[in-house]
Amino acid sequence: MNKILTFTFFLVFAIEGYSQSLLGYYDLATLFSENDNNGTSRYTAMSGAFGALGGDVSSLNVNPAGISVMKNSAISVTGSYRDAEVNSRYYNNSIKSQNEYFNLSQAGAIIVFDDINDSEWSRFAIGFNYRIMKDLNNSLFAQGNNYSTNFTEQSSIGKSVSEPYIHPGRQSFTNSYEGEISEITVAFSAVHQSKLHIGLGINFYNLNFFEKSQITTADEYYKGEKKDYLSIAPYKESQTEGNGFSANIGFIYKVNSFFRIGASYQTPTWYSDILESSYSPIYYYEDSYDYSVSDSDSDNKTKYKDYYEDYPYPEEPLDNLYDLRTPGKLTGSAALVFGKLGLISFDYTRRFYREIRLTSNSSVFSENDKTFQKYLRNTSTYNAGTEWRLGRFSLRGGYRYELNFSRTAIESDNLRGYSFGFGYNFGSVKLDFSYTDYRNTSIHDFYPESKSINPAELQNGNKRVFGTLTINL
């Protein structure tokens, strides 16, 4: 009976206190809306500021009109390395988590047709591009003591608690994420009177996300003759899969030989029938020690009780099906081009996070739209890039600043970072390399239902190295 009472109390704690340890739907919706700005090495070295430039396979992700800036057909393939670092701080205890990932982050081609038998339209281009829009692989570990008693009605051995635990123990939290959002784009662009480039793109997305999370609460001590040690390890995992699409349209106008302007709009991305499968086994271990008996007494043995309980753990995972709409965005661009010597480019993007919507027959989603309206804001992103050529050799650099989507965000939560790179043109073959370093801060709330327990403070850093091979056809 004591075991049943113990587990019943723990179960209430586990469901209420742990239900948000995995990312909630608010977090998932915003995570699936993010863009890593991956692309070719030239593109990433200039922080993606290609809205008024074009001339690169990856430019179609910003403005599809840019592919007709290219004068020759080309194929490019990019591999990347990412060093992901998360420094967590939880109740004055700091822990660093670091992981490395390798990806084929981009592969695409542009086919250019110069002669289309029309004096008004001098060039037509078709572009195809695959890229990892969002690399979801990451991990987080936090540990500390919040000095909060988690068990106030039932002790770990089923004894009614008349006095609180005097030594709440250490808590540790592990979250790991795997997966990616990949994007395949088909774009069309044409040039009118050698000045106006217009373009249209259609984007298809594949979402695959797997998350695991575990909280371990240990060393809870009962005030009295007996010492109760309780180690609890509720564990959850969830698999999310879905497909979506969006479209973008844009133009680039060459005001003169030095100055260009551009603008593009990308619709929201619509994901339909996202399937989420999850299950939640619970593990815990306890022992008690009688302090009323001398340690030298051979009968005073530490009593161990090992339990494995699972709730809920059906034969099949719990499934949930829903639709998601992520933000659309509007980009304005300008560029100065100094012939073959170099260029300076700038993009401003407005993302409409307040457009996010979750739709399902489940009651879980009934309040999400109100949550989005209350806590989300539309964001601004600034991308600047430059490139300078010394014969066949090119040097590049860039800067990116992105406002955080949360109304409660502080200045350090905004994403910012720099990029640089170089390339060499062998003629029909080009080799380019780039390095990016983007950082921000955030929080992770392991006990969202509690106003007295602080969240973990996170410092996030992502360093990437890209290498691109381009072959002119």
Side-chain angles (χ1 to χ4, degrees):
M1 183 64 180
N2 284 342
K3 291 182 180 180
I4 296 175
L5 290 173
T6 301
F7 182 68
T8 300
F9 175 76
F10 169 67
L11 183 59
V12 173
F13 162 75
I15 293 176
E16 292 184 354
Y18 187 62
S19 61
Q20 295 295 324
S21 294
L22 283 175
L23 294 177
Y25 290 108
Y26 171 90
D27 301 301
L28 288 175
T30 52
L31 177 65
F32 297 159
S33 300
E34 294 177 350
N35 186 337
D36 282 342
N37 216 32
N38 289 328
T40 65
S41 296
R42 183 174 181 239
Y43 175 89
T44 53
M46 296 171 59
S47 291
F50 271 78
L53 284 178
D56 189 276
V57 176
S58 290
S59 67
L60 57 79
N61 298 119
V62 180
N63 188 343
I67 62 174
S68 61
V69 174
M70 294 187 68
K71 297 180 179 180
N72 301 298
S73 300
I75 298 174
S76 69
V77 178
T78 303
S80 65
Y81 159 82
R82 180 167 70 97
D83 180 0
E85 180 182 301
V86 180
N87 287 286
S88 67
R89 185 173 180 84
Y90 186 68
Y91 284 89
N92 297 319
N93 189 48
S94 298
I95 294 179
K96 178 180 177 180
S97 302
Q98 192 165 13
N99 293 278
E100 297 176 326
Y101 306 98
F102 295 87
N103 284 308
L104 175 66
S105 56
Q106 179 274 331
I110 294 177
I111 302 174
V112 179
F113 303 91
D114 276 326
D115 185 7
I116 56 176
N117 298 318
D118 191 317
S119 59
E120 295 292 319
W121 298 89
S122 57
R123 188 182 305 146
F124 178 73
I126 303 175
F128 307 89
N129 195 47
Y130 160 86
R131 68 162 180 153
I132 296 177
M133 187 185 77
K134 179 65 180 177
D135 184 352
L136 299 169
N137 293 288
N138 215 341
S139 66
L140 160 68
F141 181 73
Q143 182 173 281
N145 194 334
N146 58 35
Y147 296 97
S148 175
T149 301
N150 297 315
F151 304 95
T152 56
E153 298 177 4
Q154 190 74 37
S155 76
S156 63
I157 58 173
K159 180 179 179 180
S160 178
V161 176
S162 57
E163 298 177 88
Y165 283 77
I166 58 172
H167 297 295
R170 180 186 64 200
Q171 297 83 35
S172 62
F173 312 92
T174 303
N175 290 64
S176 63
Y177 313 115
E178 300 174 8
E180 64 188 32
I181 302 176
S182 60
E183 177 187 62
I184 295 177
T185 300
V186 181
F188 309 90
S189 180
V191 186
H192 186 255
Q193 295 184 344
S194 300
K195 283 184 172 291
L196 177 64
H197 300 255
I198 60 173
L200 171 68
I202 303 173
N203 313 298
F204 304 92
Y205 303 90
N206 178 260
L207 164 65
N208 195 323
F209 182 53
F210 179 69
E211 51 180 333
K212 297 183 291 185
S213 184
Q214 183 165 325
I215 294 179
T216 301
T217 301
D219 301 324
E220 300 279 353
Y221 298 92
Y222 180 72
K223 185 178 181 181
E225 293 181 347
K226 288 190 175 182
K227 170 186 176 183
D228 298 336
Y229 173 90
L230 181 61
S231 178
I232 305 168
Y235 169 87
K236 279 191 171 186
E237 67 178 50
S238 177
Q239 176 77 41
T240 304
E241 298 176 313
N243 295 288
F245 74 93
S246 69
N248 54 344
I249 187 171
F251 75 88
I252 295 174
Y253 184 71
K254 295 182 179 179
V255 179
N256 52 46
S257 60
F258 299 102
F259 184 55
R260 303 177 186 179
I261 58 173
S264 62
Y265 172 73
Q266 180 169 318
T267 69
T269 299
W270 291 278
Y271 290 95
S272 59
D273 294 336
I274 294 178
L275 177 62
E276 178 190 56
S277 301
S278 61
Y279 65 90
S280 312
I282 296 172
Y283 307 87
Y284 72 97
Y285 160 86
E286 66 175 323
D287 70 74
S288 61
Y289 184 84
D290 191 345
Y291 282 97
S292 64
V293 181
S294 170
D295 287 341
S296 61
D297 192 322
S298 59
D299 292 332
N300 186 25
K301 304 290 186 181
T302 301
K303 300 176 181 179
Y304 295 97
K305 306 172 185 177
D306 291 300
Y307 300 127
Y308 171 83
E309 302 286 355
D310 52 342
Y311 181 87
Y313 200 107
E315 293 182 0
E316 297 293 333
L318 297 175
D319 291 341
N320 193 20
L321 198 66
Y322 61 94
D323 297 337
L324 170 66
R325 185 180 76 185
T326 66
K329 63 179 181 180
L330 181 64
T331 301
S333 311
L336 293 174
V337 180
F338 306 101
K340 295 183 178 181
L341 178 62
L343 56 88
I344 299 173
S345 181
F346 176 80
D347 288 359
Y348 169 79
T349 300
R350 187 71 172 171
R351 299 202 71 196
F352 306 105
Y353 272 90
R354 290 171 63 84
E355 292 182 344
I356 291 180
R357 294 292 183 272
L358 281 168
T359 308
S360 173
N361 293 328
S362 170
S363 59
V364 173
F365 297 90
S366 59
E367 296 297 318
N368 274 288
D369 286 351
K370 294 180 182 178
T371 301
F372 296 142
Q373 293 298 311
K374 182 177 180 180
Y375 292 106
L376 292 180
R377 61 182 175 182
N378 297 331
T379 65
S380 297
T381 302
Y382 305 89
N383 299 72
T386 186
E387 177 182 56
W388 298 94
R389 298 176 185 139
L390 303 172
R392 293 178 178 268
F393 186 75
S394 298
L395 287 175
R396 306 172 182 116
Y399 178 80
R400 181 184 180 194
Y401 179 88
E402 182 175 348
L403 191 71
N404 189 278
F405 51 76
S406 173
R407 289 180 179 270
T408 60
I410 60 177
E411 175 60 28
S412 61
D413 292 341
N414 300 328
L415 182 72
R416 70 190 70 206
Y418 63 91
S419 59
F420 63 84
F422 62 90
Y424 191 85
N425 187 345
F426 294 90
S428 60
V429 175
K430 299 178 185 176
L431 280 177
D432 296 287
F433 299 92
S434 65
Y435 173 86
T436 66
D437 188 345
Y438 297 121
R439 298 179 179 273
N440 71 331
T441 62
S442 61
I443 62 171
H444 194 104
D445 201 347
F446 298 102
Y447 296 104
E449 77 290 342
S450 174
K451 295 181 179 180
S452 61
I453 301 178
N454 296 335
E457 301 173 1
L458 309 179
Q459 293 181 338
N460 310 297
N462 281 283
K463 300 176 182 178
R464 292 179 172 90
V465 177
F466 299 85
T468 300
L469 170 67
T470 301
I471 301 175
N472 291 324
L473 302 178

